[in-house]
Amino acid sequence: MMKDSDFVDPKNVVKCRELLYRLMISQLFYDGHHQLAVELTGLVRADPPCPPSDRLLNIFRQASQIDSNKPTNVFDEITSGLDLEFEIESSALAPEPASYETAYVTSHKAACRAGCFSYDGQLVATGSVDASIKILDVDRMLAKSAPDEQEPGREQQGHPVIRTLYDHTDEVAYLEFHPKDQILASGSRDHTVKLFDISKASVKKAHKVLSDCVPVRSLAFHPTGDYMAVGTDHHVLRVYDVHTGQCFVSAIPSQQHTDSITCVRYSVNAKVYATGSMDGAIKLWDGVSGRCINTFSQAHDGSEICSIAFTRNGKYLLSSGQDSLVKLWELSTSRCLIAYTGAGTTGKQEHQTQAVFNHTEDYVLFPDEVTTSLCSWNSRNASRCHLMSLGHNGAVRFIVHSPNHPAFLTCSDDYRARFWVKLK
């Protein structure tokens, strides 16, 4: 029988969790798992002692009945992708990354250090230490990889490289396509961010330049495309109005990083954006006010942060550090929920690289620096997937997955970028 004291405010998460633990202990006692019940009692400091009861089982049965009676579109409002609150059948998972194959290889005249996909997944861009940028057509790369499967009349579809841009004077450090327009943004060690109108076949030079006083390391478009956050060798993040070029920075010095900003990402709804730094911290910023709302200090035990990525539902943040660890953070509690381990045979990496989700967020991908192989894990339970050689003769310095297809791009110090895809 339920007592008045068992009724708790559903909004009181602490009390709800306390009651859940008591129900778990009572169920374990009821089912005869005495030792487990005693251990859990000690761990959660349950007081007063919990009596044997099968109330948790009954609640579960009632909830299952309610769930089965709901219409089939019960999860329509849940954003697709990773959500640890819901289980997924293994048969529903996307193809494992180790099953991908190289479909195309393009080369620069120096190390390839940057890459990106367009938002529709139809274009790829690569950037190099030789200051050049290449834009490639995904369909043309696929056609080159499987010439026997081309449709009649499309044999002369053309070379996959559709644009080559020469407008920087130093290494191209980061690339990102505009979310809505045919524009490519590039950040360089020549202290500039340049915007290219790639709708013009003859484009060679940028139509807009944002100049800084230090090398640019990373950038991210606001989901509307109206603003751009830029991380540089300076410790203060810049946010630019893309149309006017006006620059905004936080006015509160105590909220800033203390070293170079290595990565920056917006959440899908732009309510929050995140930055990672060489100071070892990850910071979350309010998307409207620009104020720092949370800091994960020593997120990777002091190692510099290499990459960050929001899940599509905005609940979690994936990070990688130069300690070769990949972590999944729950933003509502500021906790590291999962650590994806086993990459990095030597521990600390020499270079930066990224941890990324596949297009369905079923897997986490991370290139191992020493072996130049791809480590991947099931994103929900952190189980290791098969290793796969990435075929490069140098360290993989950048990896990015297509937003909507089973395909990814690797960029390496061997001057090459490889386009990988799950072939049918």
Side-chain angles (χ1 to χ4, degrees):
M1 186 172 178
M2 189 177 287
K3 301 177 294 185
D4 290 342
S5 60
D6 286 339
F7 287 99
V8 295
D9 182 359
K11 295 180 181 178
N12 190 331
V13 178
V14 174
K15 285 293 183 183
C16 286
R17 185 173 278 119
E18 183 179 312
L19 178 57
L20 174 62
Y21 289 156
R22 292 186 62 80
L23 289 171
M24 292 167 63
I25 294 166
S26 292
Q27 187 70 51
L28 288 169
F29 274 128
Y30 184 89
D31 292 341
H33 301 296
H34 183 84
Q35 186 62 39
L36 279 174
V38 170
E39 289 180 9
L40 185 54
T41 299
L43 283 172
V44 302
R45 298 183 175 88
D47 185 50
C50 305
S53 165
D54 66 341
R55 187 173 149 210
L56 181 59
L57 176 61
N58 291 329
I59 292 173
F60 175 79
R61 291 170 64 186
Q62 292 173 31
S64 298
Q65 184 62 39
I66 294 170
D67 197 46
S68 65
N69 290 336
K70 287 184 177 180
T72 54
N73 63 349
V74 62
F75 296 128
D76 280 355
E77 293 183 4
I78 301 295
T79 307
S80 60
L82 177 64
D83 195 331
L84 299 178
E85 292 184 25
F86 302 99
E87 293 189 21
I88 186 170
E89 296 290 337
S90 58
S91 60
L93 295 176
E96 192 173 309
S99 66
Y100 291 23
E101 301 175 43
T102 298
Y104 192 77
V105 180
T106 190
S107 297
H108 286 269
K109 295 178 181 177
C112 186
R113 299 275 176 86
C116 67
F117 279 86
S118 60
Y119 277 66
D120 60 6
Q122 293 303 304
L123 296 176
V124 160
T126 61
S128 170
V129 172
D130 68 13
S132 71
I133 299 169
K134 290 185 178 184
I135 300 175
L136 301 95
D137 183 282
V138 168
D139 285 341
R140 292 187 183 186
M141 286 192 286
L142 292 174
K144 290 288 184 182
S145 70
D148 296 338
E149 297 179 17
Q150 287 188 66
E151 297 176 16
R154 299 190 67 181
E155 292 83 0
Q156 303 300 320
Q157 192 174 32
H159 197 278
V161 179
I162 60 173
R163 307 277 189 278
T164 304
L165 310 174
Y166 300 99
D167 201 21
H168 284 291
T169 57
D170 204 336
E171 174 187 337
V172 177
Y174 206 88
L175 295 165
E176 182 158 322
F177 284 96
H178 192 280
K180 296 181 179 179
D181 299 327
Q182 290 286 296
I183 292 173
L184 177 69
S186 60
S188 170
R189 296 199 64 80
D190 65 10
H191 304 187
T192 67
V193 172
K194 299 197 173 186
L195 302 180
F196 298 88
D197 182 355
I198 59 173
S199 65
K200 299 176 181 176
S202 60
V203 63
K204 295 292 181 186
K205 301 292 184 181
H207 70 278
K208 185 168 290 186
V209 179
L210 304 174
S211 297
D212 210 298
C213 57
V214 288
V216 176
R217 285 178 169 267
S218 59
L219 59 89
F221 276 110
H222 186 282
T224 63
D226 294 329
Y227 299 93
M228 181 196 297
V230 178
T232 69
D233 275 358
H234 195 263
H235 65 277
V236 176
L237 182 75
R238 290 90 155 105
V239 178
Y240 288 94
D241 183 313
V242 172
H243 306 290
T244 67
Q246 186 175 2
C247 181
F248 305 91
V249 297
S250 173
I252 307 173
S254 62
Q255 294 186 350
Q256 304 292 352
H257 285 287
T258 59
D259 208 333
S260 305
I261 295 173
T262 56
C263 44
V264 55
R265 301 307 309 161
Y266 278 95
S267 64
V268 172
N269 61 14
K271 289 182 178 179
V272 180
Y273 56 94
T275 53
S277 170
M278 290 181 70
D279 64 13
I282 296 171
K283 288 181 177 285
L284 299 176
W285 306 80
D286 183 275
V288 177
S289 69
R291 286 178 173 268
C292 181
I293 55 176
N294 203 353
T295 300
F296 303 156
S297 300
Q298 306 286 303
H300 283 261
D301 296 325
S303 295
E304 66 181 76
I305 308 303
C306 298
S307 70
I308 47 179
F310 284 96
T311 53
R312 284 195 287 271
N313 59 20
K315 289 185 176 183
Y316 312 103
L317 185 75
L318 186 74
S319 70
S320 68
Q322 217 150 341
D323 57 357
S324 296
L325 288 179
V326 180
K327 297 183 177 183
L328 186 74
W329 303 84
E330 184 179 49
L331 299 183
S332 62
T333 61
S334 305
R335 291 189 303 160
C336 175
L337 287 184
I338 300 176
Y340 304 94
T341 60
T345 52
T346 58
K348 183 175 170 59
Q349 299 166 209
E350 182 181 352
H351 305 297
Q352 286 203 349
T353 192
Q354 299 71 38
V356 297
F357 287 112
N358 75 323
H359 61 300
T360 59
E361 297 182 355
D362 290 328
Y363 300 101
V364 172
L365 289 66
F366 183 74
D368 182 82
E369 185 176 273
V370 176
T371 63
T372 63
S373 59
L374 181 72
C375 297
S376 57
W377 301 264
N378 181 301
S379 62
R380 293 169 176 81
N381 58 31
S383 59
R384 283 284 297 274
C385 302
H386 295 97
L387 278 173
M388 178 179 73
S389 172
L390 289 172
H392 286 286
N393 296 319
V396 175
R397 300 296 294 273
F398 204 92
I399 182 171
V400 59
H401 200 285
S402 168
N404 38 33
H405 299 111
F408 65 84
L409 182 76
T410 53
C411 304
S412 170
D413 277 349
D414 67 3
Y415 299 10
R416 295 177 176 86
R418 287 179 174 267
F419 175 71
W420 299 80
V421 68
K422 173 62 178 176
L423 298 171
K424 296 179 181 178

